[in-house]
Amino acid sequence: MSPHGSSSPVLPLLVLSLLLLSPPGTFAGGDGRPPSKPIVTPISKDGATSLYTIPVKGGAPLVLDLAGPLVCQPGSPDPCCACTAYSYNPPSGFWRFRHRGQRGSGDLTRTPLSANATDGRNPPFPVCFPAYAACAPNGLLASLPAGAAGVAGLSRQPLSLPSQVASRLKVASPFELQASPPVELAEGLRQNALPLLVNPKNNGAYYIRVHGIAVNQARVPVPAGAFDLDRRQGTGGVVLSTVTRLTTLRSDIFSPLINAFDAATSGIPRRKPMPPYDLCYEASAFGSTRLGPGVANVDLMLDGGRNWTLPGASSLVQVDERTLCFAFQNMGVGATVANSPAVIVGTHPMEDNLVLFDLEKGTVGISGLLRRMRINCGNFNFAMGSS
Ligand SMILES: *[C@@H]1O[C@H](CO)[C@@H](O)[C@H](O)[C@H]1NC(C)=O
Ligand SMILES: *[C@@H]1O[C@H](CO)[C@@H](O)[C@H](O)[C@H]1NC(C)=O
C-alpha cells in the first residue's frame, strides 16, 4: 500500500462558504433586507479514500459530492426509508441516487446540521440549521471514509445542501474569501468567471466549457467537438467532480493527451506503470519547483482564451517515494454509459485552487494553483472567516 493509501490525518484544503441568515432580530440590514452571513467550514481529505469531507453534522463529517443531489445519511433505522442506493458509477463519474418506492416527503428526514458563521471581522460563531436528508442503506458506509456520517450533495438540485440553505434562508448572494497574508482572490475570480453549463439530463452537476487541451503550449489533436456537451443526449462535456481523484477522459481525448505528454517528457526516465496509472516516472529525475515537479504544463483551454494551467503539482501524483505518475486516466472503451461526460475533472487538479461557485449567476471561477502567488489553501484564516 502506498503511503497515500493509509488512513491519514485530515488536512485543510479549501473553504466552503454557504450563506446563512442571522437569526431574526440580531441585526437588520440598512436596505431593509435581512443581512446574510456566510458559513465557513474546512474541507478535509481522507487519506484512505481520497474523498473530501466537511464537519457539519455535529462534528461528524459528510462526504462532499459536487454533483450530488441531496444530503444523504446511511444506516438510518427509519422503516419508512425508501431509498435503495447512493452508489458511485465510475464511468459516468457520478454518484447515483435511486428510490425503491415513489419519491415523496416520507423518504426524507429532518436532520440538524451545524457550522460556523462569520461576519468577516469577528471570530466565527456556531450556527445550527435543519436540513432535509434522505436515508440510504448501510452498504453506503463501506465506500465512505471511516467516521463519515453521510454525503453532502452540492449540486443545483433543489434538495442539495446549498439549495436548502439558500432557499430556507432566502439568501443567494455572493460571498468573499480572503487568504492570509491578505490576498483578495474572490473579486478577480468573479470578474473572470466562467459560465456553468447545465446538462438537462444530469442532476445539476457542474459542467464547464473546454475548447481544447494543450501540452507544453502545443494543442493536442483531438477530434472536432470532442469536449462538447450534447444537451439532448446528456452525454459529453467537461464536469467537475469531488468524488474522483484523477481526471478521467474519454479515450479519444485521453490517447492523444497521453501521447503528447509522453513525447514532451521523453527525456525523463520511466518507471513501470502502476494501475490505474498508465505513465510513471522516476521521481528523482524531476527538478523541484514552487509549482511541483518541473514538467511541461497541461492547459485546459477555456472561454475567452483563458487557460486552467496544470503545472507538475496538478498533472502528476506521487505514488510512492520513487514514483510520480501522470494524473489522468482513460475512461475506457466500454464507458459509454448514459450521461457519461467526455472529461471528469477530479480533485487532484483542484487541490490548492480556489474554486468559487456563484450559483445565482451560474458561474465558476478557478484560480489555478495558488502556489503561483506564494499562497495556498492553508493560508485561509478560519479564526476570522471570509471578508
Ligand atoms: C467551528 O469553529 C470551532 C473553533 O474554531 C472549531 O473547533 C469547529 O470545528 C468549527 N466547526 C465547524 C463545523 O467548522
Ligand atoms: C493558453 O494555452 C494555449 C496553449 O498552451 C496557449 O497557446 C495560449 O497562449 C494560452 N493563453 C494564455 C492567455 O495564456
Side-chain angles (χ1 to χ4, degrees):
M1 190 179 261
S2 78
H4 299 267
S6 59
S7 181
S8 72
V10 293
L11 54 137
L13 280 168
L14 285 168
V15 176
L16 170 78
S17 187
L18 302 174
L19 290 160
L20 200 63
L21 277 188
S22 57
T26 22
F27 45 87
D31 58 359
R33 292 179 59 192
S36 64
K37 291 196 196 77
I39 60 172
V40 290
T41 178
I43 297 178
S44 304
K45 182 180 181 179
D46 176 66
T49 58
S50 288
L51 291 171
Y52 293 79
T53 61
I54 52 174
V56 293
K57 201 155 181 329
L62 294 181
V63 169
L64 207 55
D65 179 7
L66 263 184
L70 35 67
V71 178
C72 178
Q73 41 186 5
S76 166
D78 188 346
C80 72
C81 183
C83 31
T84 58
Y86 193 78
S87 61
Y88 182 59
N89 179 349
S92 77
F94 298 113
W95 290 51
R96 302 244 166 246
F97 188 81
R98 287 197 312 275
H99 284 267
R100 181 169 27 217
Q102 308 111 303
R103 184 180 285 262
S105 57
D107 299 348
L108 298 170
T109 56
R110 298 263 277 180
T111 190
L113 298 182
S114 54
N116 287 323
T118 175
D119 63 8
R121 282 178 297 276
N122 299 298
F125 50 93
V127 288
C128 296
F129 51 97
Y132 285 105
C135 33
N138 286 317
L140 174 60
L141 272 180
S143 55
L144 299 183
V151 177
L154 298 190
S155 76
R156 283 170 284 200
Q157 295 285 84
L159 286 175
S160 75
L161 183 56
S163 302
Q164 288 200 51
V165 171
S167 82
R168 197 183 76 80
L169 299 160
K170 305 253 185 298
V171 287
S173 52
F175 56 84
E176 288 191 3
L177 178 142
Q178 192 154 20
S180 173
V183 180
E184 214 294 304
L185 295 164
E187 195 47 44
L189 283 188
R190 273 199 207 100
Q191 282 168 11
N192 278 299
L194 302 159
L196 285 166
L197 308 184
V198 177
N199 179 352
K201 293 273 163 75
N202 212 331
N203 65 29
Y206 300 105
Y207 286 77
I208 55 171
R209 190 177 291 115
V210 169
H211 299 278
I213 195 162
V215 172
N216 210 10
Q217 308 274 312
R219 202 180 176 117
V220 171
V222 299
F227 295 98
D228 292 355
L229 170 63
D230 178 337
R231 284 172 213 253
R232 218 159 38 83
Q233 304 286 336
T235 52
V238 177
V239 74
L240 303 176
S241 168
T242 55
V243 295
T244 45
R245 183 178 186 212
L246 304 179
T247 296
T248 309
L249 307 101
R250 216 175 45 211
S251 302
D252 58 319
I253 303 171
F254 179 78
S255 300
L257 172 65
I258 196 169
N259 290 342
F261 201 82
D262 189 31
T265 54
S266 59
I268 300 169
R270 306 302 154 105
R271 283 179 63 77
K272 198 155 71 72
M274 299 169 135
Y277 306 100
D278 290 300
L279 183 56
C280 295
Y281 303 91
E282 195 68 61
S284 62
F286 292 92
S288 135
T289 76
R290 185 151 44 88
L291 307 181
V295 72
N297 284 338
V298 174
D299 283 316
L300 286 178
M301 300 161 77
L302 309 171
D303 282 346
R306 278 168 285 162
N307 293 317
W308 183 3
T309 299
L310 308 179
S314 307
S315 65
L316 297 174
V317 276
Q318 185 102 37
V319 174
D320 63 31
E321 237 167 79
R322 288 193 54 192
T323 316
L324 280 168
C325 297
F326 189 52
F328 298 79
Q329 67 184 357
N330 195 345
M331 205 174 279
V333 272
T336 47
V337 300
N339 299 345
S340 176
V343 178
I344 303 163
V345 178
T347 52
H348 187 65
M350 283 192 257
E351 275 186 16
D352 256 328
N353 281 235
L354 176 63
V355 185
L356 185 66
F357 291 90
D358 185 330
L359 300 191
E360 205 171 49
K361 295 203 176 81
T363 61
V364 62
I366 303 170
S367 68
L369 198 65
L370 295 174
R371 288 188 228 166
R372 206 180 289 285
M373 293 172 264
R374 299 180 185 278
I375 50 175
N376 60 55
C377 290
N379 287 105
F380 184 79
N381 186 352
F382 277 98
M384 296 312 288
S386 70
S387 63

